[in-house]
Amino acid sequence: MAIVAIVAAVISLGMMAVAVWQARSAKRSADVAEADLAESRKQTTAAEQAAAAARQQVAEARRQNEIAEEQLRLAQEELDAGQQRCQKEESARHVEAVYKALLAAAELRDELRDDATAVLEHQDRPQSPFGVEPQLILFGRAESAWDAAVNTIRVDKPSSPEVTAAIGTYDEYARNAIQAIEGARDKAEEHRLSMSAAQELVALVNRRDDEYEALKGVCDEFFAANGFNPDRLTVSDES
């Protein structure tokens, strides 16, 4: 019986030792699991913080992008407005130059008529018994104004090639008429202007209205295309 009791006691001690070992092992496992859990939570917290920081960076990047886009939009609007202003200023400058050229052409048309008439009358003047003949002077004021207007057109060409070409055509006619008038004047100074030469001069000068109207027609189309109505101008506007 004593042996049985001893064996039972040994077995009991062994079982207690196993139980203690299992308990300690379970505690170690629990400690490890708790440590793992704490580390996991720590990592989760860090990940959440990193995610929050990333979201904040994304939000800031979007805000900066929106600011940049708004600045770009404003800059584009300013650029477009500047280009429109430049186009309007250029259009207004071209319209003014063409209008001044048309006014100068009208004045030159009248001057060609007056100068040709003066030359023909000078040819038919009675000869002085004293041998002293008056000299015919042609001032060419309208010619000078026309030359200035044409030079402006040549330097700052309008956007319409048709206008430039029409002004060039009228200028060529005006040069020929002026040259013919000056040549006729030189002959009229000595009463040497022949009837045929006088008739040719009259025929050339009589084309002035047709030449002017052709120029005016092209200019009127240019004015209409640019929203300009010369008929609405007053005398002060023209000056």
Side-chain angles (χ1 to χ4, degrees):
M1 294 293 292
I3 295 174
V4 173
I6 292 172
V7 171
V10 172
I11 293 173
S12 177
L13 288 174
M15 292 178 65
M16 288 179 61
V18 170
V20 170
W21 177 82
Q22 288 178 341
R24 289 179 178 177
S25 178
K27 186 178 184 304
R28 284 196 299 271
S29 297
D31 291 342
V32 171
E34 186 177 355
D36 291 342
L37 179 60
E39 181 64 24
S40 177
R41 288 176 177 174
K42 181 179 179 182
Q43 292 178 355
T44 300
T45 301
E48 290 176 348
Q49 292 175 347
R55 286 193 295 269
Q56 185 176 1
Q57 290 177 349
V58 169
E60 179 64 18
R62 287 176 178 173
R63 190 179 71 85
Q64 293 296 332
N65 186 54
E66 290 174 355
I67 293 174
E69 288 180 352
E70 179 65 13
Q71 291 176 341
L72 179 61
R73 184 186 66 79
L74 294 175
Q76 185 63 46
E77 288 181 354
E78 181 63 25
L79 177 61
D80 293 341
Q83 290 177 342
Q84 290 178 357
R85 285 194 299 269
C86 290
Q87 290 174 354
K88 288 181 179 179
E89 291 172 359
E90 181 179 313
S91 176
R93 187 174 66 251
H94 289 165
V95 166
E96 181 182 6
V98 173
Y99 181 66
K100 288 183 177 180
L102 187 60
L103 291 179
E107 293 176 359
L108 181 59
R109 174 188 58 174
D110 296 339
E111 186 172 85
L112 293 176
R113 176 199 61 206
D114 295 342
D115 287 352
T117 301
V119 168
L120 296 177
E121 291 176 349
H122 194 61
Q123 165 66 25
D124 295 336
R125 73 190 183 282
Q127 293 186 353
S128 172
F130 304 103
V132 179
E133 297 284 347
Q135 185 178 8
L136 177 61
I137 298 177
L138 304 177
F139 293 100
R141 293 188 180 90
E143 178 187 353
S144 298
W146 169 252
D147 288 342
V150 171
N151 287 336
T152 299
I153 294 296
R154 288 173 177 169
V155 171
D156 189 10
K157 294 182 179 180
S159 56
S160 171
E162 292 79 8
V163 169
T164 304
I167 290 176
T169 299
Y170 188 85
D171 184 57
E172 182 179 0
Y173 162 75
R175 297 294 129 219
N176 292 335
I178 292 170
Q179 184 177 1
I181 290 172
E182 291 177 347
R185 178 198 59 186
D186 294 341
K187 293 180 180 179
E189 292 285 359
E190 302 175 0
H191 296 277
R192 293 189 301 105
L193 183 62
S194 65
M195 180 63 68
S196 61
Q199 291 174 344
E200 290 178 1
L201 176 62
V202 170
L204 179 60
V205 174
N206 281 345
R207 287 171 44 197
R208 68 190 184 281
D209 288 336
D210 292 338
E211 296 289 343
Y212 172 78
E213 290 300 328
L215 172 62
K216 185 175 183 299
V218 176
C219 290
D220 285 345
E221 291 180 0
F222 175 74
F223 294 150
N226 287 274
F228 174 71
N229 185 358
D231 296 335
R232 295 181 180 177
L233 289 178
T234 62
V235 176
S236 60
D237 293 329
E238 293 181 4
S239 60

